């Protein structure tokens, strides 16, 4: 993990996470310059490096300021941009009342240097609006907590996402932000940038197993697929829940919904690292898709009471991890389903055996 590589000023945030293999390298470049975003670049070289022209990156025309060396080693690149946070409530007419939008490209972000943990591989981007007329952020903040992984495993904290060494986690947190309505709910808008020939698809998988995330039976994945061979190139994966506590428990669960993936016909908000890497072709040469993820129950009172909201998602390269039944659950299912079947089989055998042993006390005439 490198913080602002090649730049000694902490007034801006850029975090480079590099995972090197024998013959390939995965690059994650997180930044809050402009709208918070992450670049995902996979290369076919175990020694590929990130290059940054800082003077150009911080200029009004950052195109070409970020590149991977050697360029010929790049096999795939994409970006995820966290663009806006919406706050809304439902009126008595069942219509949604929206308050002024929080544009994340207009936020002021703290230096992540103080939160960077090279041992735990974590960092936190914390910000507040540059202007806050309503005073909602006077005692609160918005944050994106980033975690990298060195090996496969499962998070101990809910929602206990299963991860691999090819993935990272981002946790969206609203803490102490005063709602502008009596039953406010929030929605996070994010956009994806993909190369030509790659399409985004939203998948939903349901399971009867909620062992690791109690009462939550749905997993959603936003996957990037190649149109040529339908192979999955990258993913963003999350459970259909958020939580209203710093130490989440089952009762702190907040309903989470995904509002349709669609092509983004609007201009992508200013994100210096996206334009610095992809150039001016964002929206024309490269495709942009957007999705809204909303949080809140039917009345929105969970956040109103605790003023805390956290939502976790896993992002990475290749196929998203798939949960499987643990040996404990398999044993329970085997006992629960096997016992009645065994009893039925034994009972049937006893009936057949009893029928064969029937005899009469009368001797045959012949």
């Amino acid at each position: 993990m490198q913080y602002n590589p090649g730049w000694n000023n902490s007034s801006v945030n850029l975090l480079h996470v590099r995972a090197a293999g024998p013959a390939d390298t995965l690059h994650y470049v997180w930044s809050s310059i402009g709208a918070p975003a992450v670049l995902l670049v996979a290369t076919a070289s175990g020694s590929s490096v990130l290059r940054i022209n800082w003077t150009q990156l911080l200029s009004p025309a950052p195109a070409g300021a970020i590149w991977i060396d050697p360029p010929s080693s790049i096999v795939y690149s994409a970006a995820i941009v966290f663009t806006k946070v919406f706050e809304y409530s439902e009126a008595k007419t069942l219509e949604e009342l929206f308050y002024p939008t929080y544009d994340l490209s207009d936020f002021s972000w703290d230096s992540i240097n103080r939160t960077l943990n090279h041992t735990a591989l974590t960092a936190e981007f914390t910000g507040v609006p540059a202007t806050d007329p309503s005073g909602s952020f006077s005692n609160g903040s918005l944050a994106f907590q980033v975690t990298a992984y060195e090996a496969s495993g499962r998070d101990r904290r809910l929602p206990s996402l299963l991860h691999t060494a090819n993935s990272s986690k981002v946790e969206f947190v609203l803490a102490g932000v005063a709602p502008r309505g009596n039953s406010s709910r929030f929605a996070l808008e994010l956009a994806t940038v993909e190369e030509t020939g790659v399409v985004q698809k939203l998948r939903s998988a349901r399971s009867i197993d909620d062992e690791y995330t109690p009462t939550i039976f749905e997993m959603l994945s936003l996957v990037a697929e190649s149109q040529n061979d339908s192979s999955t190139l990258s993913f963003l994966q999350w459970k259909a829940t958020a939580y209203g506590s710093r130490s989440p428990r089952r009762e702190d669960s907040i309903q989470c919904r995904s509002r349709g993936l669609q092509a983004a016909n609007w201009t992508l908000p200013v994100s210096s690292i996206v334009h610095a890497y992809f150039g001016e072709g964002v929206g024309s040469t490269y495709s942009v898709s957007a999705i809204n993820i909303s949080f809140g129950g039917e009345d929105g009172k969970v956040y109103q009471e605790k003023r805390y909201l956290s939502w976790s998602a896993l992002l990475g390269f290749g196929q998203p991890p798939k949960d499987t039944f643990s040996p404990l659950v398999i044993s329970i299912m085997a006992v629960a389903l096997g016992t009645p079947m065994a009893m039925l089989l034994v009972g049937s055998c006893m009936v057949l055996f009893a029928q064969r042993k029937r005899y009469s006390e009368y001797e045959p005439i012949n």
Side-chain angles (χ1 to χ4, degrees):
M1 300 179 74
Q2 296 174 297
Y3 173 63
N4 288 352
W7 186 255
N8 294 324
N9 194 327
S10 61
S11 60
V12 295
N13 292 318
L14 187 145
L15 177 66
H16 177 216
V17 181
R18 181 174 178 270
D24 58 359
T25 306
L26 305 179
H27 298 269
Y28 296 88
V29 185
W30 302 86
S31 179
S32 59
I33 303 173
V38 56
L39 291 175
L40 296 90
V41 184
T43 71
S45 168
S47 58
S48 61
V49 294
L50 175 72
R51 304 293 188 189
I52 303 173
N53 182 330
W54 281 96
T55 303
Q56 187 176 354
L57 176 62
L58 300 177
S59 71
I66 295 178
W67 69 98
I68 298 294
D69 196 15
S72 58
S73 66
I74 299 172
V75 295
Y76 173 72
S77 56
I80 298 174
V81 187
F82 301 96
T83 54
K84 300 175 183 177
V85 172
F86 300 102
E87 182 180 351
Y88 63 98
S89 60
E90 283 190 357
K92 292 182 179 179
T93 58
L94 298 180
E95 294 181 355
E96 293 177 340
L97 170 65
F98 280 82
Y99 299 95
T101 303
Y102 293 118
D103 191 333
L104 299 185
S105 63
D106 294 332
F107 270 48
S108 175
W109 301 91
D110 295 342
S111 171
I112 67 168
N113 200 27
R114 61 182 180 82
T115 65
L116 188 58
N117 188 324
H118 289 274
T119 302
L121 302 179
T122 59
E124 182 174 325
F125 295 81
T126 304
V128 296
T131 58
D132 186 22
S134 65
S136 297
F137 279 80
S138 57
N139 295 312
S141 64
L142 179 151
F144 292 95
Q145 298 173 358
V146 176
T147 303
Y149 299 108
E150 292 181 310
S152 299
R154 186 183 297 276
D155 280 352
R156 294 182 179 180
R157 282 166 44 91
L158 290 175
S160 304
L161 293 173
L162 180 68
H163 62 260
T164 69
N166 293 343
S167 60
S168 294
K169 186 182 77 169
V170 59
E171 185 175 354
F172 167 68
V173 177
L174 275 179
V177 178
R180 290 172 285 183
N182 293 328
S183 57
S184 285
R185 280 171 276 183
F186 294 90
L188 174 65
E189 179 186 77
L190 59 89
T192 63
V193 181
E194 294 289 349
E195 299 172 335
T196 304
V198 178
V199 294
Q200 287 281 351
K201 292 185 178 180
L202 181 63
R203 297 175 179 172
S204 174
R206 294 182 179 272
S207 171
I208 62 172
D209 184 13
D210 68 340
E211 177 184 5
Y212 299 106
T213 312
T215 73
I216 306 301
F217 301 95
E218 184 180 15
M219 175 79 82
L220 294 112
S221 299
L222 188 61
V223 297
E225 291 186 353
S226 172
Q227 290 180 322
N228 298 329
D229 54 10
S230 299
S231 60
T232 301
L233 303 173
S234 66
F235 65 88
L236 182 74
Q237 183 184 62
W238 65 95
K239 288 285 187 74
T241 184
Y243 291 94
S245 172
R246 295 181 187 273
S247 301
R249 299 168 298 174
R250 183 181 63 180
E251 54 266 32
D252 299 318
S253 178
I254 297 175
Q255 191 175 31
C256 172
R257 293 177 179 173
S258 301
R259 301 194 173 191
L261 176 67
Q262 59 183 357
N265 296 323
W266 36 261
T267 303
L268 188 71
V270 177
S271 177
S272 290
I273 65 166
V274 172
H275 289 90
Y277 181 82
F278 290 102
E280 300 300 330
V282 176
S284 56
T285 306
Y286 301 95
S287 60
V288 181
S289 302
I291 188 171
N292 289 342
I293 301 170
S294 61
F295 316 100
E298 296 300 325
D299 54 8
K301 289 184 178 180
V302 176
Y303 182 83
Q304 187 78 22
E305 294 172 356
K306 300 185 178 180
R307 294 199 178 183
Y308 187 88
L309 167 69
S310 71
W311 170 78
S312 299
L314 198 71
L315 61 136
F317 299 88
Q319 290 281 356
K322 292 184 178 181
D323 264 322
T324 56
F325 292 112
S326 70
L328 174 63
V329 172
I330 293 175
S331 301
I332 294 173
M333 292 176 64
V335 172
L337 299 177
T339 302
M341 291 296 295
M343 293 178 64
L344 180 61
L345 183 61
V346 171
S348 300
C349 291
M350 292 180 65
V351 170
L352 291 174
F353 184 73
Q355 287 180 343
R356 288 184 177 182
K357 291 190 65 176
R358 286 182 182 175
Y359 61 91
S360 174
E361 294 180 354
Y362 298 95
E363 293 292 333
I365 297 176
N366 298 324

